Amino acid sequence: VDQTSTQAKGDKRVDRSEFRILLVKLSVMFRLHAAFSEADRNADRHLNRQEINAFFTKLNKWGAGITSFDSAFLEMDKDGGGDLTFREVADWAMRKPFPGLGLGDHNALD
């Protein structure tokens, strides 16, 4: 069976190469969520400006390369609410490499 033609027709199966990508991205998301939860000291499922410094420091240890916490915060805060939800962080993170996680550039896998 031609994989290209089945994928183009909306095949819902995951092939071997797609499965590897899925596992890598799940690993990144799991670690990201753990770091987010750790930084969320008041457990309200949002990171405010006081909580964000520890979180960004952790991301930089993973190779995020955040040079301006304020700029990164504004880039992630898509709804302009003044705090970050995990979804906002995850959307941002899926566009960034995290070589410090030992996974290389997970976006290069696509």
Side-chain angles (χ1 to χ4, degrees):
V1 175
D2 180 353
Q3 287 293 92
T4 307
S5 65
T6 59
Q7 291 297 326
K9 294 177 185 175
D11 183 12
K12 303 293 185 199
R13 293 177 291 175
V14 176
D15 67 28
R16 184 179 298 263
S17 65
E18 292 169 327
F19 186 67
R20 180 177 181 280
I21 293 168
L22 175 66
L23 290 179
V24 169
K25 291 198 177 208
L26 281 173
S27 178
V28 169
M29 295 303 282
F30 177 77
R31 294 174 188 190
L32 190 64
H33 190 270
F36 183 94
S37 295
E38 183 180 315
D40 183 17
R41 291 193 177 99
N42 63 1
D44 68 349
R45 299 184 352 201
H46 294 82
L47 297 182
N48 60 39
R49 293 244 181 203
Q50 290 77 35
E51 296 167 326
I52 205 71
N53 288 337
F55 182 67
F56 283 170
T57 299
K58 174 82 95 178
L59 293 183
N60 277 341
K61 287 180 184 175
W62 293 342
I66 299 170
T67 56
S68 168
F69 286 4
D70 286 335
S71 294
F73 186 92
L74 292 172
E75 182 182 347
M76 289 182 205
D77 188 19
K78 293 295 185 190
D79 67 3
D83 57 16
L84 298 179
T85 63
F86 181 71
R87 181 175 187 122
E88 289 173 319
V89 171
D91 288 347
W92 174 87
M94 284 295 100
R95 298 186 311 269
K96 305 287 182 187
F98 286 99
L101 289 176
L103 303 171
D105 183 353
H106 62 272
N107 292 308
L109 299 171
D110 290 339

